[in-house]
Amino acid sequence: MGAREFSFAPPSLAGDAVREYSFTAQDFDRVRKLIYARAGISLNESKQNMVYSRLSRRLRTLGVASFGHYLDQLESDAAFMAAESQEFVNALTTNLTAFFREPHHFPVLAEFLRRHAGAPGLRLWCAAASTGEEPYSLAMTLIEALGAGTSARLLATDIDTHVLEAARRGVYRLDAARQCGEARLKRFFLRGSGANEGMVRVKPEAQRLIEFEPLNLLEPGWSAQRRFAGQLDVVFIRNVMIYFDKPTQRQILERLAAVIRRGGLLFIGHSENFTDQRELFVLRGKTVYERI
């Protein structure tokens, strides 16, 4: 489904008179079409101010005089598109995350892992790694359930290359890491000192389980995912599908079904529901589905 046309034609969006750049309804419509084609993200009209705020930073950085000129280059200048496309996507990607977010999922994961502890080479995929809090939460759960010497591995991907750089570093504010609890904080983090006071770094025992890779879920073939031989046991793709329209959701779910082994688990976000995909997945708990 493409972005629909506006039914009204004001000269510019509300608040434009006090803005640094003119940003018209037509500009917003062009942004919607570009981000849908590039990343499958379906923006509704309530996102106009967000789009202006984030992309205006790119205009300033690039020294571009107007949204119209910026979008003209994205649409028709192949060299500019090649250089700017990832920054455009990064700017419009929303990254909300925390350690052990939606905590009801982690006991379910731990039980599944213990039940399959004898299986060689368990493979997990975190399909929206953001700045790393979720994949590190998964790695901690892996170690707690299977031990520090586990052969299980986790692929962590995101379309936003900037947040992946932060995830690879594994450095966080101490206040954010306290969400893990004091026991995990002591076991899995190193505390900073001096100039790094108030910061923590994830210990190597958890970092070693994770491979971080950029990946666009619309990318043909999911080449990064194929680095892990065989089928996946667990996929976390939480609060991602809400940004896609129904046809794109269906396409991604079919591709997920092809890479999750039968009996494997799919974890989704609290606002998502895929009970209409009964031929692919069956509900096994609160926003937890089993591949059938």
Side-chain angles (χ1 to χ4, degrees):
M1 182 179 75
R4 67 177 180 84
E5 296 295 327
F6 284 88
S7 58
F8 58 92
S12 61
L13 298 177
D16 184 68
V18 297
R19 284 175 166 168
E20 180 179 358
Y21 302 98
S22 172
F23 185 54
T24 68
Q26 290 72 30
D27 292 334
F28 179 64
D29 201 34
R30 292 169 73 185
V31 171
R32 293 171 79 180
K33 291 174 181 177
L34 282 166
I35 195 63
Y36 182 84
R38 179 68 181 84
I41 296 172
S42 184
L43 294 174
N44 62 46
E45 293 176 21
S46 69
K47 301 298 184 182
Q48 293 171 2
N49 288 334
M50 179 273 284
V51 167
Y52 174 85
S53 175
R54 295 185 182 182
L55 289 184
S56 61
R57 298 170 198 161
R58 292 303 303 156
L59 270 65
R60 287 187 211 104
T61 299
L62 297 169
V64 177
S66 70
F67 272 89
H69 182 57
Y70 177 73
L71 295 169
D72 286 344
Q73 289 182 284
L74 280 175
E75 291 171 342
S76 60
D77 185 331
F80 182 83
M81 180 55 142
E84 178 64 13
S85 176
Q86 186 63 58
E87 295 294 343
F88 174 75
V89 171
N90 288 353
L92 296 179
T93 303
T94 298
N95 296 287
L96 297 175
T97 188
F99 288 105
F100 291 93
R101 187 183 184 193
E102 304 196 37
H104 60 278
H105 280 156
F106 295 93
V108 176
L109 173 63
E111 180 187 357
F112 176 88
L113 293 171
R114 286 191 290 266
R115 202 165 63 240
H116 295 84
L122 288 169
R123 294 295 180 258
L124 293 78
W125 180 16
C126 174
S130 189
T131 48
E133 288 90 338
E134 182 167 297
Y136 288 123
S137 299
L138 297 177
M140 288 182 249
T141 305
L142 274 168
I143 292 170
E144 290 170 346
L146 302 177
T150 178
S151 62
R153 290 296 181 270
L154 170 65
L155 175 64
T157 66
D158 202 284
I159 193 172
D160 187 331
T161 54
H162 290 169
V163 296
L164 280 177
E165 291 173 8
R168 288 189 185 98
R169 289 194 296 271
V171 176
Y172 301 96
R173 289 183 298 102
L174 175 59
D175 288 346
R178 288 193 189 281
Q179 297 172 81
C180 300
E182 287 302 316
R184 287 180 177 135
L185 187 60
K186 183 176 181 179
R187 179 175 182 183
F188 294 111
F189 294 89
L190 298 168
R191 297 201 185 201
S193 59
N196 295 314
E197 186 74 29
M199 305 297 290
V200 294
R201 181 188 293 274
V202 179
K203 288 183 178 179
E205 71 168 323
Q207 287 190 321
R208 75 172 186 87
L209 301 182
I210 308 174
E211 181 178 4
F212 291 101
E213 291 287 346
L215 184 132
N216 183 338
L217 288 169
L218 298 190
E219 175 185 292
W222 287 349
S223 57
Q225 183 273 326
R226 290 200 304 270
R227 289 190 178 201
F228 288 150
Q231 293 184 317
L232 291 160
D233 298 281
V234 173
V235 172
F236 271 62
I237 186 167
R238 305 190 301 175
N239 304 304
V240 175
M241 296 291 201
I242 55 175
Y243 297 104
F244 301 137
D245 60 17
K246 288 294 184 183
T248 305
Q249 288 180 5
R250 176 68 190 188
Q251 173 192 352
I252 292 172
L253 282 169
E254 288 176 347
R255 295 176 73 185
L256 287 170
V259 299
I260 301 174
R261 69 169 179 80
R262 291 186 180 182
L265 296 183
L266 174 70
F267 292 80
I268 65 171
H270 65 276
S271 59
E272 299 165 323
N273 187 314
F274 302 125
T275 52
D276 57 339
Q277 313 294 337
R278 292 182 179 87
E279 77 281 15
L280 303 176
F281 298 97
V282 61
L283 189 65
R284 290 302 189 206
K286 184 179 178 182
T287 55
V288 181
Y289 291 82
E290 180 183 335
R291 174 72 173 104
I292 57 173

